[in-house]
Amino acid sequence: MTLLGRGVAGIAAAVRSKEASAREVLAESLAAIEQLEGELHCFHTVMAERAEAAAAALDEKVARGEDPGLLAGVPVALKDNMCTKGTVTTCSSRILENWVPPYDATVVTRLRAAGAVVVGKTNLDEFAMGSSTENSAFGPTRNPWDTARVPGGSSGGSAAAVAAGMVPLAYGSDTGGSIRQPASLCGVVGVKPTYGLVSRYGLVAFASSLDQIGPFTLSVADSALGLEAVAGHDPADSTSIDRPATSYAGLLEEGVEGLRVGLIEDFVSEVSPSCAEAARAAAEALGAAGAKVEEVSIPEVLHGLPAYYVIAPAEASSNLARYDGVRYGLRVGGPDVAAMNARTRGAGFGKEVRRRVMVGTYALSAGYYDAYYGQAQRVRTLVVEAFARAYERFDVLVAPMTPSEAFRLGEKTANPLDMYVSDVCAVPSNLAGHPAVSVPFALGAEGLPVGVQVLAPALGEGLMYRAAAVLEQAAPPAARGPVRPGGERRA
Amino acid sequence: MERISLAEVRHVAQLARLQLSDEELAVLQGELSSLLDHVEAIVALPTEGVAPTAHPLPLSNVLRPDVPGPCLEQRDALAAAPEAAEGRFLVPRILGEAP
């Protein structure tokens, strides 16, 4: 078995016990990237030299008898919207094509402190706006299960890199499904934590009341470690939850005996037969493991998507005002500042980003603010309250993750709304700030992986992971990565 | 009949500081209109007396102790600027008059 094949926990244990060196593990990761990157295009930047120096430093630390950290020697990839001091951070945008941040995101600092070795920055839809990675200014990522298909998005590079076995752990950001949807399409575990659990300091902002960073892994246990390593209060993020970080690893064996589980039927009817069947089978599997399972209707969740497509663009139009050609990024000159701003932004933003900035600006403009933005915020309250009522009766909820298996490149690019619908089951968790995970659970009618979603109330990651661990046990191993490009299983 | 006029689209592009071609403005007119159609599903929902949610956490006025600490050096803050001079960001003229 390869070192990478041991997963996050296995690698950290091997490096800690000196059975393997961080340099050996890194060499496997860099070799896999070298071999597969041409077909998949997961990465914008591979930081080989810097990673080698970090791995060597970690090996010395182990040799000195010091604690190498929770993620000792684990190669990690980061979505290219997380700031890395001294390494270009593009957000897949022409406007930041050459931007080198002057500081590290808190997650980067924490990962390095935990002994992880950052190997590179992954592809995404520009500024995390999209569900296929096709909105990248630097070309799409391809799904390792079928390279004619998208990996999902916006964190498609991170999802595909884990699915293809290039790295055992990658991080993405989830504003409206951007971790969970690509996780589902790539057959990996993807978690959007509770809003405020992971610091957003140094995460390039898209929609600040929704954005949250989380891990991609091949297994639920590895996900729990990947979340633990980056979670916890950060004074640099004023929206960070001020309570001590917890470990989830010990909870995974607890099972679901006696837990009350609700299957959200409103989502089941929104998705393909394969995806609906997977969600039903997942609910049954939890029932077989001792949970009390019931179907539940929460009709408000279907208001989530239209509310999201007002709130997220509104926040984005405000956040992206900073790209003005003055302090960093692209500048296209003009006779005065206003012309320079408009030319820079017109040239630097891609089509989807321009579209969302326009929608958001419209929704916030005089005369429309209350009808659109104000109303969407009130509908957000309805979604939050509906979840609160559901969680009086249930400990966790189960739902389909995506409306379909991975779609073909170009299939949904003509009509923006077709793409937006990809996240119908995902966005309510962002609106409520709740945690949710996509667990690979089945192969669909097209032979591609289908994820199932477990939702939990705020700070319910422990319950979420317990249910996810049971689903993982019940799922066929063929439904999850790692796979070689084309879908053949990797050793 | 589109839900939003071309003049409105042009006005919003100005508010958003986006220079767009006439062709793109026309495409956006159609796309914004169909998105607004989709959003119409919630515009009509009864929400009288419902408080808006701006944020998932009940937070207000998060402050840190007023203690000086390290911060970004001026040269680092200016390093990525398209143009800088004398420790400042340099921009084209802001007011209407000639320099």
Side-chain angles (χ1 to χ4, degrees):
Chain A
M1 194 184 201
T2 60
L3 292 165
L4 284 185
R6 299 185 189 193
V8 173
I11 291 168
V15 169
R16 179 183 290 273
S17 69
K18 301 185 198 168
E19 183 197 341
S21 68
R23 277 169 298 181
E24 289 173 281
V25 180
L26 175 65
E28 279 188 15
S29 175
L30 292 175
I33 293 169
E34 170 81 28
Q35 186 196 353
L36 304 172
E37 177 61 8
E39 275 179 274
L40 299 178
H41 186 220
C42 296
F43 286 88
H44 286 329
T45 308
V46 178
M47 301 148 68
E49 268 179 43
R50 210 173 155 178
E52 275 157 7
L58 194 87
D59 287 334
E60 284 166 29
K61 206 170 174 179
V62 174
R64 285 196 303 270
E66 293 170 34
D67 180 359
L70 187 66
L71 302 180
V74 175
V76 166
L78 303 169
K79 188 178 185 178
D80 204 19
N81 61 352
M82 298 176 204
C83 290
T84 42
K85 186 176 182 177
T87 299
V88 70
T89 298
T90 68
C91 292
S92 290
S93 182
R94 294 282 173 209
I95 215 160
L96 289 179
E97 189 168 1
N98 301 306
W99 182 55
V100 178
Y103 63 93
D104 277 323
T106 295
V107 288
V108 178
T109 309
R110 289 198 176 165
L111 285 169
R112 293 209 172 106
V117 175
V118 177
V119 298
K121 307 293 294 289
T122 59
N123 197 9
L124 65 150
D125 288 296
E126 185 177 0
F127 284 106
M129 298 177 191
S131 308
S132 70
T133 323
E134 291 166 292
N135 295 333
S136 168
F138 311 118
T141 295
R142 289 168 185 275
N143 190 318
W145 292 76
D146 177 350
T147 52
R149 313 253 181 169
V150 303
S154 66
S155 314
S158 285
V162 171
M166 294 162 140
V167 285
L169 174 63
Y171 290 83
S173 60
D174 190 316
T175 304
S178 281
I179 293 172
R180 291 162 288 154
Q181 183 259 11
S184 177
L185 269 44
C186 288
V188 299
V189 178
V191 167
K192 183 204 92 73
T194 300
Y195 183 87
L197 187 65
V198 179
S199 171
R200 292 183 298 110
Y201 180 72
L203 171 69
V204 177
F206 161 13
S208 302
S209 81
L210 305 165
D211 298 341
Q212 190 62 193
I213 293 172
F216 289 98
T217 54
L218 291 170
S219 74
V220 171
D222 283 356
S223 178
L225 286 178
L227 178 57
E228 183 184 341
V230 297
H233 182 242
D234 176 14
D237 173 3
S238 63
T239 61
S240 164
I241 297 174
D242 192 359
R243 53 169 250 172
T246 50
S247 175
Y248 309 103
L251 298 171
L252 300 177
E253 306 297 321
E254 285 192 14
V256 293
E257 180 92 49
L259 284 193
R260 301 163 301 163
V261 175
L263 172 64
I264 308 177
E265 61 186 34
D266 312 86
F267 286 142
V268 175
S269 51
E270 291 289 308
V271 303
S272 76
S274 292
C275 297
E277 179 47 37
R280 284 199 200 93
E284 279 172 29
L286 292 170
K292 284 176 254 169
V293 181
E294 268 181 66
E295 288 199 8
V296 57
S297 177
I298 313 175
E300 291 85 352
V301 294
L302 293 180
H303 302 321
L305 195 70
Y308 174 85
Y309 274 100
V310 173
I311 291 168
E315 293 189 21
S317 72
S318 172
N319 271 326
L320 271 58
R322 71 191 63 179
Y323 304 104
D324 55 7
V326 173
R327 288 154 300 164
Y328 42 77
L330 179 75
R331 172 184 291 188
V332 179
D336 56 39
V337 161
M340 181 276 282
N341 292 159
R343 289 179 189 181
T344 297
R345 292 160 60 79
F349 291 147
K351 196 183 268 183
E352 180 64 23
V353 174
R354 297 199 295 267
R355 185 184 292 137
R356 299 223 195 168
V357 167
M358 288 289 288
V359 170
T361 305
Y362 179 78
L364 292 174
S365 65
Y368 300 104
Y369 181 95
D370 193 63
Y372 290 109
Y373 185 62
Q375 177 69 358
Q377 286 188 311
R378 290 187 288 273
V379 172
R380 185 174 186 176
T381 304
L382 298 180
V383 173
V384 170
E385 290 173 348
F387 271 128
R389 285 194 298 275
Y391 286 124
E392 287 170 9
R393 293 173 53 205
F394 299 103
D395 298 302
V396 296
L397 299 167
V398 172
M401 188 65 252
T402 53
S404 70
E405 294 161 57
F407 42 92
R408 288 180 179 76
L409 276 95
E411 191 178 328
K412 294 185 194 287
T413 46
N415 181 352
L417 278 171
D418 286 349
M419 190 72 83
Y420 295 173
V421 169
S422 301
D423 292 314
V424 62
C425 305
V427 295
S429 299
N430 300 85
L431 293 172
H434 293 170
V437 56
S438 179
V439 185
F441 194 73
L443 287 178
E446 299 178 74
L448 295 164
V450 171
V452 165
Q453 189 174 204
V454 179
L455 303 84
L459 296 172
E461 275 82 2
L463 286 167
M464 176 192 83
Y465 274 130
R466 281 169 60 189
V470 168
L471 293 183
E472 181 177 57
Q473 288 296 313
R480 59 175 173 263
V483 291
R484 294 182 181 284
E488 186 198 335
R489 297 200 60 75
R490 280 175 73 87
Chain B
M1 181 67 190
E2 300 282 15
R3 188 177 280 275
I4 172 169
S5 74
L6 196 57
E8 277 181 296
V9 177
R10 200 179 297 276
H11 174 63
V12 172
Q14 263 165 15
L15 292 175
R17 296 282 187 278
L18 279 174
Q19 180 170 294
L20 302 172
S21 67
D22 287 347
E23 191 187 2
E24 189 171 4
L25 288 168
V27 170
L28 279 164
Q29 184 190 6
E31 290 176 346
L32 262 54
S33 295
S34 61
L35 185 67
L36 293 175
D37 284 339
H38 174 71
V39 167
E40 203 57 29
I42 59 159
V43 170
L45 281 180
T47 55
E48 225 180 83
V50 177
T53 296
H55 201 270
L57 299 175
L59 293 171
S60 65
N61 299 337
V62 177
L63 301 172
R64 65 167 174 81
D66 187 14
V67 181
C71 63
L72 212 54
E73 296 287 336
Q74 188 190 57
R75 65 169 184 281
D76 295 330
L78 290 169
E83 273 191 273
E86 296 169 29
R88 299 175 176 88
F89 296 106
L90 196 63
V91 295
R93 68 191 163 86
I94 291 171
L95 300 174
E97 71 270 20

